[in-house]
């Protein structure tokens, strides 16, 4: 096997630990110099690959690559861009293989969610059709945890830990003040189609009286009178009520609550978001004082409180991707296989990419309580290990010392190409 | 000096470290058993004192009191209730002294912001008028950092650290994706009248290109065209723009932006909040994709990333309050005096309560850059030491082990009293 270069691209929304995957992959590649030349990272993901904007990661020194393990965001940039029509005649595909050939690329690592696994799968097939040999490996990443073929997704455990801790902390605040102040607190979290992140809020407490008192899943149609009755009963019983709401909450007709338009003082249409819509409902119908938080990007970038298990797994799938190509593998995703809940044990697995592509995994009914407002013991057994352990970054003068990569591009060899 | 009991009450919004103050106070009281009997904590603050709902902190074991040092929220509860008319004829004041007498209270510790210091000051004066001797000590607490008579307020440093880190982390996320996704990110933070919390976001980076690119202070009137020009220029120059906005941002006429009413799909009036109003402005006027986060209670309860300096100071003012009464002091607040910026050195100070009461300290002009969108070197010198050091709580199974107090009330001796 001759020495060939690798392309690594991050795809879709970034996470607190996707750079740990990059770190694992680059470190492992450096220990396979006999077979793997340079790891070229697509600047802003696949867009950069198509534009031939390839970051030469060999210019990054060892300590930077090491520190990527504790740096959130996507150091080389990411994007939402889908190769919509991966056939040999598609201009994007032709360009992709031109870039591969121009830079002697024999390995393609695509680090993302369902779409990326699908693309990696198709590129692998095309590589055979076009007789240009490139080993394609999918590496899982998504805070939504909705990827099939793996027990869980790197990125999710850290969001889950952030949401569980934030729910617990905010609930202590609300409980302290509820006698004379806020009675209802709503935390809006990510997860437009799958409620894994909302579910993780359930780890903040257990039993009817411990917060969160209601979790709103996108999997369960929102019923406002049932919701209001439960909020009112909770406030009546313990004086306050904490709600974790997925941004993807939908009514019985499948309309997102967050799509309810409001009109601002200037007459502009304004998207409501789930938290303000729920808060307004609580105020208007129950007359209760509310507060709400919208975690937004904070939840998926909160490396300062990442789950140690998540960081380890994110790093491991990066290393595992290199081990896989070194073993001659192609057209697979590096998955995580759970061997045991207690004590938690896991290992890497090789999953056929055709089995992964574009199957969205939702929170199963058995993980949601009968009334649809909580998580079951089964859900706890699944979720709990994923938030285990802390993996604090290094600090200087009170702030985390996150890595700053140079992101130096290799010289272009091809003509200009317009993407999109 | 005979042995007498103490009353401790928390007041106003709670913080990530107000329990550290309680911990310091109770621990120190326990080492002065010759003079101080029980520390009775008002359940939900002064409301509980008036209702004679007094928590017997002697029932809490040592490890619980120790763990309070790392527990957010207010373990004994707090409230927003002002003794509006502190004269000898006022029913609340008469009741307060009845409770003092019934429980042999010789020490009153009031842990809060400007209003609480004012109340402590008045209760001290009334104690002399009514010839009921009680030593009154104010203990500072406020995330807003707007109290005078002290260099900074316990509670602020931890919010500042949370906001600085969150800004830095979210900015890394936005930068990674800005090529094809969100260009403008807004983090809404607390501080309705003083912009100290917004200012702390400035510690995330330095220089024109590092985030945050704009800080919006309540001290500087909001000018939408100047704001939009700066946002547009920043996006044009580096591809994205991060904004930290105080909830108290006001237009030139002193109207809060957050008071701009919107109407929701059901025709209900809805308060906008600052972040959505700004986001809408950016979308409508510049056509840029935005995201926003509303940190709300998360910022002031985020004990998981508290500032070590803040925790130490919060604990110290609690201990200092006991030392003060043991030294015969009355009518003072335990302040924090800065001795030196670099390396940071501080000590406790005794501040006459009449000098503290109800003077709101704003972010001075010299701390804000010329264009009003950033912090100066002078502001950095002031803010930086306050976020120093980490003080992680203990964890079990991935979650912080926060203290759970028993909150057992002492037997009531007086008739029922209706508060408010």
């Amino acid at each position: 096997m001759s020495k060939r270069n690798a392309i690594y691209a991050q795809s879709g929304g970034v996470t607190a630990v996707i750079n740990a995957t990059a770190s694992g992959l680059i470190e492992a590649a450096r220990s396979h110099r006999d077979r793997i030349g340079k790891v070229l990272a697509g600047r802003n993901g696949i867009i950069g690959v198509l534009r031939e904007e390839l970051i030469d990661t060999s210019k990054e020194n060892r300590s930077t690559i090491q520190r990527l393990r504790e740096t959130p965001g996507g150091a080389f940039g990411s994007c939402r861009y889908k190769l919509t029509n991966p056939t040999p005649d598609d201009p994007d595909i032709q360009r992709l293989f031109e870039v591969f050939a121009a830079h002697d690329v024999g390995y393609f690592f695509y680090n993302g969610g369902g779409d990326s696994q699908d693309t990696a799968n198709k590129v692998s097939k095309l590589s055979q059709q076009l007789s240009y040999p490139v080993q394609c490996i999918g590496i899982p990443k998504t805070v939504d945890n909705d990827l099939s073929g793996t027990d869980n997704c790197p990125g999710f455990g850290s969001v889950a830990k952030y949401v569980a801790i934030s729910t617990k902390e905010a609930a202590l605040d609300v409980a302290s003040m509820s006698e004379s102040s806020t009675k209802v607190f709503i935390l809006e979290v990510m997860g437009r189609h799958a409620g894994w992140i909302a579910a993780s809020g359930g780890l903040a407490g257990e039993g009817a009286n411990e917060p969160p008192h209601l979790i709103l899943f996108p999997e369960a149609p929102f019923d406002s009178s049932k919701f209001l009755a439960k909020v009112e009963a909770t406030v009546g019983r313990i004086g306050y009520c904490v709600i974790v709401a997925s941004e993807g909450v939908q009514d019985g007709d499948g309309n997102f609550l967050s799509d309810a338009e409001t009109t601002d003082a200037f007459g502009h249409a304004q998207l409501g978001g789930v938290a303000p819509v729920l808060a307004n409902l609580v105020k208007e119908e129950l007359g209760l004082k509310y507060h709400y938080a919208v975690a937004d990007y904070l939840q998926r970038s909160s490396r300062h409180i990442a789950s140690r298990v998540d960081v380890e797994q994110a790093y491991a799938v990066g290393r595992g991707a290199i081990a896989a190509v070194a073993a001659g593998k192609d057209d697979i995703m590096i998955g995580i296989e759970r061997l045991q809940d207690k004590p938690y044990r896991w290992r890497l697995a090789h999953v056929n990419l055709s089995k992964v592509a574009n199957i969205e995994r939702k929170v199963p009914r058995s993980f949601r309580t009968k009334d649809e407002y909580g998580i079951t013991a089964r859900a706890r057994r699944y979720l709990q290990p994923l938030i285990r352990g802390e993996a604090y970054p290094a600090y200087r003068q009170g702030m985390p010392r996150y890595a700053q990569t140079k992101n130096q591009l290799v010289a272009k060899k091809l003509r200009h190409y317009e993407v999109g």
Side-chain angles (χ1 to χ4, degrees), chain A:
Chain A
M1 209 165 128
S2 68
K3 184 166 169 168
R4 300 179 71 200
N5 296 317
I7 280 184
Y8 166 75
Q10 300 182 339
S11 178
V14 293
T15 78
V17 301
I18 189 170
N19 284 331
T21 299
S23 175
L25 186 141
I26 295 166
E27 287 183 2
R30 287 180 180 184
S31 64
H32 281 87
R33 290 198 204 272
D34 53 325
R35 291 173 158 193
I36 302 171
K38 288 186 173 187
V39 174
L40 305 171
R43 181 176 166 190
N44 299 320
I46 198 76
I47 287 180
V49 179
L50 295 174
R51 285 180 183 155
E52 206 193 355
E53 293 176 350
L54 302 171
I55 294 165
D56 185 351
T57 68
S58 73
K59 303 290 185 194
E60 309 294 343
N61 58 39
R62 208 175 133 177
S63 67
T64 303
I65 298 301
Q66 210 162 29
R67 188 158 295 145
L68 278 184
R69 197 167 165 169
E70 44 189 62
T71 301
F76 311 118
S78 183
C79 66
R80 298 192 191 284
Y81 184 80
K82 200 176 169 179
L83 296 173
T84 41
N85 181 30
T87 61
D89 304 327
D90 181 63
D92 277 357
I93 289 296
Q94 288 181 349
R95 173 70 174 190
L96 187 66
F97 279 88
E98 269 174 43
V99 172
F100 285 169
H103 295 276
D104 191 22
V105 172
Y107 316 105
F108 176 55
F109 300 102
Y110 208 21
N111 194 179
D115 279 352
S116 312
Q117 308 307 325
D118 187 39
T119 301
N121 178 226
K122 284 168 178 156
V123 172
S124 169
K125 301 272 185 286
L126 286 163
S127 147
Q128 288 161 25
Q129 259 180 275
L130 298 168
S131 302
Y132 180 91
V134 53
Q135 290 168 251
C136 295
I137 309 288
I139 312 176
K141 173 271 351 175
T142 164
V143 293
D144 292 327
N145 203 41
D146 57 356
L147 205 56
S148 63
T150 181
D151 182 67
N152 62 288
C153 298
F156 169 66
S158 295
V159 183
K161 189 178 182 94
Y162 173 90
V163 168
I165 292 176
S166 297
T167 301
K168 185 174 179 132
E169 290 181 335
L172 284 170
D173 187 306
V174 175
S176 317
M177 304 286 299
S178 62
E179 167 76 27
S180 60
S181 183
T182 299
K183 302 268 192 280
V184 178
F185 175 73
I186 302 158
L187 173 61
E188 177 176 327
V189 301
M190 288 179 161
R192 197 151 168 93
H193 301 288
W196 293 104
I197 298 178
S200 67
L203 297 175
E206 206 166 344
N209 290 345
E210 281 190 21
H213 308 101
L214 287 90
I215 297 171
L216 300 181
F217 298 96
E219 287 88 353
F222 180 72
D223 174 335
S224 65
S225 49
K226 192 180 136 208
F227 164 78
L228 289 166
K230 170 111 185 183
V231 171
E232 194 169 34
T234 307
V235 173
R237 197 173 68 248
I238 59 168
Y240 71 106
C241 181
V242 172
I243 301 159
V244 178
S246 157
E247 61 176 339
V249 177
Q250 296 155 46
D251 65 19
D253 300 325
N255 303 311
F256 288 108
L257 259 67
S258 61
D259 286 349
E261 270 200 356
T262 64
T263 311
D264 73 10
F266 312 100
H268 294 151
Q270 187 165 25
L271 275 188
V274 161
V277 168
L278 294 171
N280 223 37
L281 201 59
V282 163
K283 185 188 74 176
E284 293 291 331
E285 302 297 330
L286 303 177
L288 294 172
K289 183 168 155 61
Y290 66 82
H291 256 245
Y292 65 81
V294 181
D296 197 60
Y297 291 153
L298 270 48
Q299 68 200 290
R300 74 176 196 196
S301 62
S302 58
R303 181 59 186 83
H304 73 270
I305 192 59
S307 147
R308 199 179 65 224
V309 162
D310 192 30
V311 174
E312 285 169 359
Q313 292 181 339
Y315 182 78
V317 294
R319 289 199 76 94
I322 294 294
V325 295
K329 302 286 178 185
D330 177 27
D331 202 15
I332 57 156
M333 180 181 83
I334 311 299
I336 292 159
E337 185 186 351
R338 183 181 298 228
L339 300 171
Q340 193 178 284
D341 287 327
K342 269 189 182 181
Y344 178 54
R345 285 178 53 235
W346 60 277
R347 69 175 174 205
L348 297 182
H350 290 175
V351 190
N352 199 314
L353 273 173
S354 59
K355 290 193 181 155
V356 180
N358 279 326
I359 304 165
E360 212 172 48
R361 201 172 53 127
K362 307 217 169 193
V363 177
R365 188 65 191 87
S366 62
F367 276 31
R368 306 179 331 247
T369 51
K370 208 175 156 192
D371 72 357
E372 291 282 15
Y373 292 136
I375 57 170
T376 60
R378 204 162 157 181
R380 280 177 201 283
R381 229 167 23 244
Y382 170 77
L383 292 167
Q384 211 289 317
L386 307 181
I387 69 162
R388 285 274 180 94
E390 295 68 53
Y392 300 121
Y395 278 75
R396 184 168 49 197
Q397 299 201 321
M399 291 293 287
R401 294 181 63 189
Y402 291 141
Q404 190 112 41
T405 47
K406 294 176 198 141
N407 290 1
Q408 204 172 306
L409 303 184
V410 296
K412 292 191 182 191
K413 299 177 178 180
L414 300 170
R415 73 189 192 291
H416 174 78
Y417 179 79
E418 202 62 48
V419 180

